[in-house]
mmCIF file of all heavy atoms in Angstrom:
data_model
loop_
_atom_site.group_PDB
_atom_site.id
_atom_site.type_symbol
_atom_site.label_atom_id
_atom_site.label_comp_id
_atom_site.label_asym_id
_atom_site.label_seq_id
_atom_site.Cartn_x
_atom_site.Cartn_y
_atom_site.Cartn_z
ATOM 1 N N ALA A 225 10.008 11.105 -4.676
ATOM 2 C CA ALA A 225 9.357 10.990 -5.988
ATOM 3 C C ALA A 225 8.020 10.270 -5.896
ATOM 4 O O ALA A 225 7.322 10.135 -6.910
ATOM 5 C CB ALA A 225 10.271 10.240 -6.958
ATOM 6 N N HIS A 226 7.667 9.802 -4.712
ATOM 7 C CA HIS A 226 6.505 8.914 -4.600
ATOM 8 C C HIS A 226 5.468 9.348 -3.558
ATOM 9 O O HIS A 226 4.292 9.062 -3.711
ATOM 10 C CB HIS A 226 6.976 7.490 -4.256
ATOM 11 C CG HIS A 226 8.075 7.010 -5.148
ATOM 12 N ND1 HIS A 226 7.843 6.601 -6.447
ATOM 13 C CD2 HIS A 226 9.407 6.912 -4.960
ATOM 14 C CE1 HIS A 226 8.998 6.251 -7.010
ATOM 15 N NE2 HIS A 226 9.959 6.437 -6.129
ATOM 16 N N LEU A 227 5.917 9.992 -2.496
ATOM 17 C CA LEU A 227 5.014 10.311 -1.388
ATOM 18 C C LEU A 227 5.048 11.806 -1.093
ATOM 19 O O LEU A 227 6.110 12.423 -1.199
ATOM 20 C CB LEU A 227 5.473 9.593 -0.103
ATOM 21 C CG LEU A 227 5.598 8.081 -0.125
ATOM 22 C CD1 LEU A 227 6.214 7.594 1.181
ATOM 23 C CD2 LEU A 227 4.223 7.458 -0.302
ATOM 24 N N PRO A 228 3.928 12.378 -0.681
ATOM 25 C CA PRO A 228 3.977 13.768 -0.223
ATOM 26 C C PRO A 228 4.813 13.853 1.059
ATOM 27 O O PRO A 228 4.803 12.933 1.865
ATOM 28 C CB PRO A 228 2.514 14.090 0.085
ATOM 29 C CG PRO A 228 1.722 13.008 -0.537
ATOM 30 C CD PRO A 228 2.585 11.802 -0.597
ATOM 31 N N ILE A 229 5.540 14.946 1.188
ATOM 32 C CA ILE A 229 6.380 15.121 2.380
ATOM 33 C C ILE A 229 5.926 16.387 3.094
ATOM 34 O O ILE A 229 5.819 17.440 2.470
ATOM 35 C CB ILE A 229 7.865 15.273 1.976
ATOM 36 C CG1 ILE A 229 8.351 14.003 1.253
ATOM 37 C CG2 ILE A 229 8.738 15.540 3.204
ATOM 38 C CD1 ILE A 229 9.637 14.215 0.484
ATOM 39 N N ASP A 230 5.682 16.255 4.374
ATOM 40 C CA ASP A 230 5.265 17.402 5.171
ATOM 41 C C ASP A 230 6.047 17.373 6.481
ATOM 42 O O ASP A 230 5.663 16.696 7.431
ATOM 43 C CB ASP A 230 3.755 17.321 5.430
ATOM 44 C CG ASP A 230 3.233 18.553 6.158
ATOM 45 O OD1 ASP A 230 4.037 19.209 6.861
ATOM 46 O OD2 ASP A 230 2.032 18.849 6.031
ATOM 47 N N VAL A 231 7.154 18.111 6.475
ATOM 48 C CA VAL A 231 8.058 18.014 7.633
ATOM 49 C C VAL A 231 7.428 18.566 8.905
ATOM 50 O O VAL A 231 7.770 18.115 10.009
ATOM 51 C CB VAL A 231 9.419 18.713 7.358
ATOM 52 C CG1 VAL A 231 10.195 17.963 6.299
ATOM 53 C CG2 VAL A 231 9.233 20.173 6.984
ATOM 54 N N GLN A 232 6.490 19.511 8.746
ATOM 55 C CA GLN A 232 5.852 20.045 9.962
ATOM 56 C C GLN A 232 4.875 19.033 10.543
ATOM 57 O O GLN A 232 4.794 18.845 11.758
ATOM 58 C CB GLN A 232 5.140 21.357 9.653
ATOM 59 C CG GLN A 232 6.116 22.469 9.295
ATOM 60 C CD GLN A 232 5.425 23.811 9.191
ATOM 61 O OE1 GLN A 232 5.027 24.380 10.206
ATOM 62 N NE2 GLN A 232 5.281 24.313 7.982
ATOM 63 N N ASP A 233 4.153 18.360 9.655
ATOM 64 C CA ASP A 233 3.218 17.338 10.121
ATOM 65 C C ASP A 233 3.989 16.170 10.758
ATOM 66 O O ASP A 233 3.603 15.650 11.797
ATOM 67 C CB ASP A 233 2.361 16.854 8.953
ATOM 68 C CG ASP A 233 1.369 15.787 9.373
ATOM 69 O OD1 ASP A 233 0.607 16.049 10.325
ATOM 70 O OD2 ASP A 233 1.373 14.698 8.776
ATOM 71 N N LEU A 234 5.090 15.778 10.122
ATOM 72 C CA LEU A 234 5.893 14.667 10.665
ATOM 73 C C LEU A 234 6.572 15.065 11.972
ATOM 74 O O LEU A 234 6.837 14.236 12.821
ATOM 75 C CB LEU A 234 6.973 14.244 9.663
ATOM 76 C CG LEU A 234 6.505 13.611 8.361
ATOM 77 C CD1 LEU A 234 7.691 13.386 7.418
ATOM 78 C CD2 LEU A 234 5.798 12.294 8.637
ATOM 79 N N ASP A 235 6.892 16.356 12.083
ATOM 80 C CA ASP A 235 7.659 16.888 13.215
ATOM 81 C C ASP A 235 9.076 16.298 13.268
ATOM 82 O O ASP A 235 9.643 16.124 14.358
ATOM 83 C CB ASP A 235 6.914 16.656 14.543
ATOM 84 C CG ASP A 235 7.499 17.497 15.665
ATOM 85 O OD1 ASP A 235 8.055 18.576 15.368
ATOM 86 O OD2 ASP A 235 7.432 17.068 16.834
ATOM 87 N N CYS A 236 9.631 15.956 12.103
ATOM 88 C CA CYS A 236 11.024 15.462 12.101
ATOM 89 C C CYS A 236 11.954 16.656 12.329
ATOM 90 O O CYS A 236 11.611 17.799 12.037
ATOM 91 C CB CYS A 236 11.351 14.779 10.781
ATOM 92 S SG CYS A 236 11.058 15.796 9.336
ATOM 93 N N ASP A 237 13.126 16.369 12.840
ATOM 94 C CA ASP A 237 14.094 17.433 13.093
ATOM 95 C C ASP A 237 14.918 17.720 11.837
ATOM 96 O O ASP A 237 15.308 18.857 11.596
ATOM 97 C CB ASP A 237 14.986 17.031 14.272
ATOM 98 C CG ASP A 237 14.148 16.820 15.515
ATOM 99 O OD1 ASP A 237 13.623 17.812 16.042
ATOM 100 O OD2 ASP A 237 13.951 15.656 15.928
ATOM 101 N N PHE A 238 15.172 16.656 11.066
ATOM 102 C CA PHE A 238 15.921 16.785 9.818
ATOM 103 C C PHE A 238 15.299 15.865 8.774
ATOM 104 O O PHE A 238 14.811 14.781 9.112
ATOM 105 C CB PHE A 238 17.396 16.376 10.012
ATOM 106 C CG PHE A 238 18.109 17.164 11.076
ATOM 107 C CD1 PHE A 238 18.230 16.654 12.367
ATOM 108 C CD2 PHE A 238 18.634 18.415 10.797
ATOM 109 C CE1 PHE A 238 18.876 17.375 13.363
ATOM 110 C CE2 PHE A 238 19.287 19.143 11.775
ATOM 111 C CZ PHE A 238 19.407 18.625 13.071
ATOM 112 N N TYR A 239 15.346 16.299 7.515
ATOM 113 C CA TYR A 239 14.855 15.455 6.416
ATOM 114 C C TYR A 239 15.825 15.638 5.255
ATOM 115 O O TYR A 239 16.124 16.764 4.855
ATOM 116 C CB TYR A 239 13.434 15.868 6.016
ATOM 117 C CG TYR A 239 12.713 14.821 5.190
ATOM 118 C CD1 TYR A 239 11.781 13.960 5.779
ATOM 119 C CD2 TYR A 239 12.972 14.677 3.828
ATOM 120 C CE1 TYR A 239 11.137 12.981 5.032
ATOM 121 C CE2 TYR A 239 12.329 13.699 3.083
ATOM 122 C CZ TYR A 239 11.412 12.865 3.689
ATOM 123 O OH TYR A 239 10.775 11.881 2.945
ATOM 124 N N ALA A 240 16.327 14.517 4.720
ATOM 125 C CA ALA A 240 17.328 14.576 3.655
ATOM 126 C C ALA A 240 16.750 14.007 2.369
ATOM 127 O O ALA A 240 16.057 12.988 2.395
ATOM 128 C CB ALA A 240 18.552 13.753 4.062
ATOM 129 N N LEU A 241 17.034 14.668 1.246
ATOM 130 C CA LEU A 241 16.617 14.083 -0.035
ATOM 131 C C LEU A 241 17.599 14.425 -1.163
ATOM 132 O O LEU A 241 18.408 15.334 -1.039
ATOM 133 C CB LEU A 241 15.184 14.474 -0.388
ATOM 134 C CG LEU A 241 14.760 15.931 -0.458
ATOM 135 C CD1 LEU A 241 15.214 16.556 -1.760
ATOM 136 C CD2 LEU A 241 13.245 16.027 -0.355
ATOM 137 N N SER A 242 17.491 13.652 -2.248
ATOM 138 C CA SER A 242 18.388 13.793 -3.413
ATOM 139 C C SER A 242 17.599 14.224 -4.639
ATOM 140 O O SER A 242 16.570 13.618 -4.955
ATOM 141 C CB SER A 242 19.034 12.444 -3.764
ATOM 142 O OG SER A 242 19.907 12.028 -2.759
ATOM 143 N N GLY A 243 18.113 15.209 -5.375
ATOM 144 C CA GLY A 243 17.439 15.677 -6.584
ATOM 145 C C GLY A 243 17.301 14.599 -7.654
ATOM 146 O O GLY A 243 16.264 14.488 -8.314
ATOM 147 N N HIS A 244 18.339 13.787 -7.827
ATOM 148 C CA HIS A 244 18.320 12.853 -8.966
ATOM 149 C C HIS A 244 17.352 11.699 -8.784
ATOM 150 O O HIS A 244 17.109 10.953 -9.733
ATOM 151 C CB HIS A 244 19.729 12.322 -9.246
ATOM 152 C CG HIS A 244 20.238 11.352 -8.223
ATOM 153 N ND1 HIS A 244 20.313 10.007 -8.461
ATOM 154 C CD2 HIS A 244 20.679 11.543 -6.952
ATOM 155 C CE1 HIS A 244 20.815 9.409 -7.383
ATOM 156 N NE2 HIS A 244 21.034 10.317 -6.464
#
Side-chain angles (χ1 to χ4, degrees):
H226 310 285
L227 302 174
I229 298 163
D230 185 335
V231 292
Q232 293 188 72
D233 180 54
L234 293 174
D235 195 28
C236 55
D237 300 291
F238 303 97
Y239 197 100
L241 55 78
S242 293
H244 72 105

